[in-house]
């Protein structure tokens, strides 16, 4: 049996994951080392946290060098976006809308450009990365409205929902699902498919929020998660389906959905509960879980066989439901 790492003593490095994943696990640091998150109303404090995170978590540079692509800055429906196109892209009318993670309070389309580039490279699709306003400068309802505004602007330009999919990771996964729920409820139609990688349930009420709390130092610790949730939505709104889509009613429909995650993730209960809610409602849904994997592993350990397999399944799923 392997032993915990010296850098972060409670991390188990299992023999059952690839050597690439094992090597990455040994590099993880305690998330409690992040600066303390401020109260929801401390806007100056949040600006400092966001600047710190933006400088320390940018994933753009390695991906920009590794994958040939083009990227343009534009605005859709008054919302800034990055328009990412892979090498040798030809316009087939298909678009993947991406909503980045960061606990709703960190990161941007720029600092997560690497993730959008990977998605474009792996799927061959044009990717629209939505640079929505972070909490607490926008709340949950405003964020999903911004995503919808970008999609509606695409539609005004001739983009068909049947040729459009949406992909979100971590808090961006919850945001993607919330935006689609709201589109359905407003009678705006829905995209052809949705991919949720490590999606966030803001209530932090699932069993693994306790049992796996120390298993994945790649995720926020409890103190940071609580402050981020408060910045995103008032406590009485945490179970609003537009804040935590796991509480949504899917009986009236939802697009085919792929949910991916790892068995180390503190958020695992949320993945399972979301799958059960969709499956019980008769929605086409696949829950794709990976042994020993951490939060957002397809991007964070890009060369691990597990990550490659997950991205290949994402590609196949999107191509199937976009008619490619």
């Amino acid at each position: 049996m392997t032993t915990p790492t010296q850098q972060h003593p409670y991390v188990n490095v299992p023999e059952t994951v690839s050597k690439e994943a094992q090597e990455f696990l040994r590099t993880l640091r305690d998330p409690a080392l992040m600066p303390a998150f401020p109260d929801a109303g401390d806007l100056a404090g949040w600006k400092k946290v966001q600047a710190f995170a933006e400088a320390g978590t940018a994933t753009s540079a390695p991906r920009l060098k590794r994958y040939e692509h083009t990227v343009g800055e534009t605005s859709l429906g008054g919302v800034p976006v990055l328009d990412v196109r892979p090498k040798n892209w030809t316009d087939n009318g298909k678009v993947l809308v991406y909503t980045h993670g960061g606990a709703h309070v960190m990161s941007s389309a720029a600092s997560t450009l690497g993730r959008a580039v990977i998605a474009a490279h792996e799927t061959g699709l044009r990717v629209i990365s939505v640079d929505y306003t972070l909490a607490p400068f926008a709340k949950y309802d405003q964020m999903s409205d911004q995503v919808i505004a970008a999609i509606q602007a695409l539609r005004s330009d001739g983009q068909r929902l049947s040729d459009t999919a949406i992909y979100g990771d971590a808090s961006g996964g919850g945001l993607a699902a919330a935006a689609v729920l709201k589109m359905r409820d407003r009678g705006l139609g829905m995209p052809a498919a949705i991919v949720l990688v490590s999606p966030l349930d803001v209530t932090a009420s699932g069993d693994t929020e306790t049992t796996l709390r120390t298993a994945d130092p790649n995720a926020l610790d409890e103190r940071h998660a609580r402050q981020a949730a408060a910045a995103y939505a008032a406590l009485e709104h945490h179970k609003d389906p537009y804040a935590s889509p796991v509480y949504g009613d899917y009986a009236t429909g939802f697009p085919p959905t792929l949910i991916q995650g790892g068995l180390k993730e503190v958020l695992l209960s949320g993945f399972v509960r979301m799958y059960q809610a969709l499956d019980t409602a008769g929605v086409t849904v696949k829950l794709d879980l990976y042994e020993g994997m951490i939060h957002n592993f397809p991007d964070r350990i890009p060369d691990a066989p597990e990550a490659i397999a997950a991205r290949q399944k994402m590609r196949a799923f999107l191509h199937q439901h976009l008619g490619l």
Side-chain angles (χ1 to χ4, degrees), residues 106-277:
M106 297 179 292
S107 301
S108 66
S111 64
T112 58
L113 177 58
R115 300 182 191 179
V117 167
I118 281 186
H121 174 81
E122 294 287 350
T123 65
L125 296 171
R126 174 189 178 196
V127 175
I128 298 294
S129 181
V130 183
D131 199 22
Y132 57 87
T133 304
L134 298 175
F137 302 95
K139 297 298 185 179
Y140 72 102
D141 229 11
Q142 296 166 292
M143 288 185 191
S144 55
D145 280 347
Q146 289 182 357
V147 175
I148 293 170
I151 294 173
Q152 289 296 89
L154 284 171
R155 296 182 71 185
S156 295
D157 290 340
Q159 180 66 30
R160 299 189 304 176
L161 282 178
S162 59
D163 290 328
T164 306
I166 187 167
Y167 153 52
D169 52 24
S171 58
L175 179 59
V180 173
L181 268 176
K182 188 180 282 187
M183 289 179 68
R184 182 200 69 184
D185 294 346
R186 289 179 176 176
L188 300 176
M190 295 183 289
I194 182 168
V195 176
L196 309 176
V197 176
S198 300
L200 173 66
D201 168 19
V202 75
T203 68
S205 57
D207 182 58
T208 58
E209 294 280 357
T210 297
T211 60
L212 294 181
R213 175 51 60 188
T214 59
D216 181 4
N218 208 42
L220 292 179
D221 70 9
E222 186 174 10
R223 171 176 55 109
H224 288 98
R226 184 171 57 251
Q227 294 295 90
Y232 176 61
L235 182 61
E236 62 268 24
H237 295 146
H238 283 188
K239 290 187 177 181
D240 184 325
Y242 300 151
S244 288
V246 70
Y247 293 98
D249 179 0
Y250 296 97
T252 57
F254 202 69
T257 304
L258 173 64
I259 304 170
Q260 295 184 314
L263 295 186
K264 273 190 180 297
E265 297 200 55
V266 69
L267 303 175
L268 177 60
S269 284
F271 314 160
V272 175
R273 291 164 59 221
M274 186 72 174
Y275 166 79
Q276 294 290 355

Side-chain angles (χ1 to χ4, degrees), residues 20-31:
E20 292 88 350
Q22 291 181 37
E23 290 170 359
F24 184 84
L25 288 173
R26 294 188 181 102
T27 71
L28 292 177
R29 300 173 60 199
D30 191 335

Side-chain angles (χ1 to χ4, degrees), residues 45-56:
W46 278 110
K47 284 184 177 180
K48 291 179 181 179
V49 167
Q50 289 165 359
F52 175 86
E54 194 75 1

Side-chain angles (χ1 to χ4, degrees), residues 270-294:
F271 314 160
V272 175
R273 291 164 59 221
M274 186 72 174
Y275 166 79
Q276 294 290 355
L278 292 168
D279 187 55
T280 299
V283 175
T284 297
V285 58
K286 179 175 181 178
L287 179 61
D288 187 33
L289 299 178
Y290 291 80
E291 159 68 6
M293 290 295 102
I294 58 167

